[in-house]
Amino acid sequence: MATSDPVYLRVVEDIRRQITDGTLPPGAPIPSRAQLTRKYQVGETAARHALRVLAGEGLIIGRVGSGHYVRERPDLTPLYRWRFLDHPAPFAADLQSQGRRVTWDWHSEPAEAGPDIARRLRLPESATLTKTHYVFRGDGKPLQLATSYELREFAAHSDEERRSLVARMYGHGIKITEIVESVHTRIPRPVESDALDLAAGVHVLHVERTHWAGDRPVETSDIVIPGDRFRVMYSMPV
Amino acid sequence: MATSDPVYLRVVEDIRRQITDGTLPPGAPIPSRAQLTRKYQVGETAARHALRVLAGEGLIIGRVGSGHYVRERPDLTPLYRWRFLDHPAPFAADLQSQGRRVTWDWHSEPAEAGPDIARRLRLPESATLTKTHYVFRGDGKPLQLATSYELREFAAHSDEERRSLVARMYGHGIKITEIVESVHTRIPRPVESDALDLAAGVHVLHVERTHWAGDRPVETSDIVIPGDRFRVMYSMPV
DNA sequence: CGATGACCGCTGGAGCCCCAACTTTGCGAT
DNA sequence: ATCGCAAAGTTGGGGCTCCAGCGGTCATCG
């Protein structure tokens, strides 16, 4: 409306509107730079800039030699589902029930905890282990990236093993009593972009999960999920 | 490493590294376009482009006439906290306990449900009401934007009122038995950018909350939260 | 008839330039 | 010592151009 707005914004907003209201469905081609200059009566710089902004937002994707297209954004599939007494979160089973195979890959390497991890585990900045999991769908598409920090003594490779180690460590009768998750969103780090095969402009959901045994935190993990393809489900009885 | 990489990326990656490893703390000035061209031996286009990319990622912020600065990113404050039997989520109380006042503003207008809302409430695309809440901190900073869709008959203005209306509507003994939340992240719509006062490149956390009474969905709301300032906490007993 | 290559259009990188609007700074005058 | 103002620096919008690399299309040649 305001004619004082930069002209490239006029282009951005017009195309964005067409994408969000469905006029331009996923996969539809966006006019090329040359076409945009003619259509909106703007210079090539403005046309190019508009395309770059839209691509940066993750709404369109440019294929060199071909053109810009509205990005496919499949319906968000639930990645894992929290349900009362339904722990640990069986997201793999969830996906398998949808007919998708899930494969794992991991790579462990010991590391000192950073200050934030130490704070979360209420530990000095030592005696920790970093384990990075890569989780893939059967078709090879990446699902998530998880890094967990545990007391080094707890470095076990199955949930069962770990739980019994926890039990040994903390004496008899130790039991995870509460799981706290904190969700926020941020730009992916370069490693995450690679591992999760993220397009430009896609943010990640960062879930910090901490397992508590009474008033003692036992294990904490960072779960990183592509924000454009997945959702995290929480379900609580009232 | 690969010298075939575009030069602007070299600049981006170098600055990004300095920001993430703390060499450039929040608030620190970034070299200007002219300085970058000299420092990295690149053209003005590349320098400018690097700054734009970093700004688009939300890592730096440009102030015209002054320069670019590392964005202040205060520690993420918990926005609301889910706890078993601690419903409805008392995020206002949570913030107040931190010495922050919270104020509300809302604006109601009836609307037909879109197809997705109808699906969530298992309703025909009618008989709904849209209510948009704006929630502010005492200092005027925006906290979140929530839009809830309820059966029109349930349009009440307090949680208590609404609950009793729900009870009347569905007969005696009706009770919300489960709350399901789904979290994902996406780029903000223009309204949300304005209402939440979002900087460029900041994504939002989108929480879809649905209240269930047995196998019947009763109310659903979309809660939109600035992804760079807040986190959502979930806490579950095991 | 089928394969090969030339050609055109498109993206993305990169360079240089001009200008308006704004901030900061420093100098000079009161 | 303080005020005001001008100059210098900086961002953001916008313009133009060149080029490499890629992807189709289409015509030509074997």
Side-chain angles (χ1 to χ4, degrees):
Chain A
M1 279 295 154
T3 49
S4 65
D5 271 7
V7 293
Y8 84 90
L9 263 191
R10 243 184 49 225
V11 183
V12 166
E13 275 159 16
D14 193 51
I15 297 179
R16 184 159 46 201
R17 188 188 47 72
Q18 291 182 59
I19 293 175
T20 49
D21 75 11
T23 311
L24 287 169
I30 304 290
S32 72
R33 291 200 312 228
Q35 290 172 319
L36 287 179
T37 57
R38 283 195 298 275
K39 179 172 178 191
Y40 292 94
Q41 293 293 308
V42 297
E44 208 229 310
T45 311
R48 168 191 289 239
H49 190 38
L51 290 173
R52 175 167 291 284
V53 167
L54 289 164
E57 287 177 351
L59 282 176
I60 66 177
I61 187 160
R63 274 191 271 278
V64 342
S66 173
H68 280 94
Y69 301 87
V70 180
R71 263 192 70 210
E72 305 284 349
R73 185 179 153 127
D75 268 340
L76 296 166
T77 48
L79 183 53
Y80 66 82
R81 192 183 302 270
W82 252 114
R83 220 167 311 201
F84 182 59
L85 291 182
D86 188 359
H87 155 260
F91 79 94
D94 219 39
L95 280 164
Q96 275 164 352
S97 74
Q98 296 166 33
R100 293 216 192 83
R101 261 187 331 114
V102 176
T103 58
W104 315 73
D105 186 15
W106 50 28
H107 123 105
S108 267
E109 81 190 32
E112 305 256 304
D116 50 329
I117 299 301
R119 183 175 38 75
R120 268 151 67 182
L121 284 179
R122 302 195 177 165
L123 284 172
E125 301 188 20
S126 59
T128 59
L129 180 100
T130 307
K131 182 158 63 181
T132 304
H133 307 241
Y134 301 87
V135 182
F136 302 95
R137 281 207 314 241
D139 56 12
K141 293 260 184 181
L143 266 178
Q144 67 167 41
L145 185 85
T147 311
S148 57
Y149 308 87
E150 317 162 54
L151 287 175
R152 174 161 295 154
E153 292 84 332
F154 298 161
H157 286 292
S158 79
D159 275 351
E160 214 37 69
E161 247 185 302
R162 189 187 316 138
R163 218 165 313 173
S164 72
L165 273 169
V166 171
R168 273 217 305 272
M169 182 72 183
Y170 279 106
H172 301 292
I174 189 77
K175 194 171 166 299
I176 302 293
T177 55
E178 191 177 22
I179 298 181
V180 177
E181 298 204 346
S182 147
V183 186
H184 69 282
T185 177
R186 58 171 173 76
I187 61 164
R189 311 195 205 297
V191 210
E192 297 163 350
S193 282
D194 287 353
L196 298 174
D197 190 28
L198 298 180
V202 172
H203 282 214
V204 290
L205 277 181
H206 183 152
V207 180
E208 291 175 17
R209 182 190 294 171
T210 305
H211 296 241
W212 291 74
D215 54 359
R216 223 196 258 114
V218 169
E219 175 188 343
T220 190
S221 45
D222 291 293
I223 305 166
V224 179
I225 300 163
D228 63 331
R229 286 176 298 211
F230 298 103
R231 59 174 75 218
V232 181
M233 307 283 293
Y234 293 91
S235 160
M236 300 148 257
V238 176
Chain B
M1 281 296 151
T3 51
S4 64
D5 271 8
V7 292
Y8 85 89
L9 263 190
R10 242 186 49 225
V11 183
V12 166
E13 274 159 18
D14 193 51
I15 297 179
R16 184 158 46 201
R17 187 187 49 72
Q18 291 183 61
I19 293 176
T20 50
D21 75 12
T23 313
L24 288 170
I30 304 291
S32 71
R33 292 199 312 227
Q35 291 173 318
L36 287 179
T37 56
R38 283 195 298 274
K39 180 172 179 192
Y40 293 94
Q41 293 293 308
V42 297
E44 203 229 315
T45 310
R48 170 192 288 237
H49 190 37
L51 290 173
R52 175 167 290 285
V53 167
L54 289 164
E57 287 177 352
L59 283 176
I60 67 178
I61 187 162
R63 274 190 271 280
V64 345
S66 174
H68 279 95
Y69 301 88
V70 180
R71 264 190 71 206
E72 305 284 350
R73 186 181 151 127
D75 268 341
L76 296 165
T77 49
L79 184 51
Y80 66 83
R81 192 183 303 268
W82 254 114
R83 220 166 313 203
F84 183 56
L85 290 183
D86 188 0
H87 157 260
F91 81 93
D94 220 37
L95 280 163
Q96 275 163 352
S97 75
Q98 296 167 32
R100 293 217 193 83
R101 264 190 326 114
V102 175
T103 59
W104 315 73
D105 186 14
W106 50 27
H107 123 107
S108 267
E109 81 191 31
E112 307 254 306
D116 50 328
I117 300 301
R119 182 175 39 76
R120 267 150 68 181
L121 285 178
R122 303 197 177 165
L123 283 172
E125 300 188 23
S126 60
T128 58
L129 179 101
T130 308
K131 182 159 61 181
T132 305
H133 307 241
Y134 301 86
V135 182
F136 303 95
R137 281 206 314 240
D139 56 12
K141 292 261 185 183
L143 266 179
Q144 67 166 44
L145 186 85
T147 311
S148 58
Y149 308 88
E150 317 162 54
L151 287 176
R152 172 160 296 152
E153 292 86 333
F154 298 159
H157 286 291
S158 80
D159 274 351
E160 215 36 71
E161 249 185 301
R162 191 187 314 138
R163 217 165 313 173
S164 72
L165 273 167
V166 171
R168 271 219 305 274
M169 182 70 185
Y170 278 105
H172 302 291
I174 188 76
K175 192 170 166 304
I176 302 293
T177 55
E178 192 175 23
I179 298 181
V180 177
E181 298 205 344
S182 147
V183 187
H184 69 281
T185 177
R186 57 172 173 77
I187 61 163
R189 311 196 205 297
V191 209
E192 296 163 351
S193 281
D194 288 353
L196 297 175
D197 191 27
L198 298 179
V202 173
H203 283 213
V204 290
L205 276 181
H206 184 151
V207 181
E208 292 174 16
R209 182 191 294 170
T210 305
H211 295 242
W212 291 75
D215 54 359
R216 224 197 256 115
V218 168
E219 177 188 340
T220 190
S221 45
D222 291 292
I223 304 167
V224 179
I225 300 164
D228 64 331
R229 285 176 300 214
F230 298 104
R231 58 174 75 218
V232 181
M233 306 280 294
Y234 293 92
S235 160
M236 287 142 271
V238 176

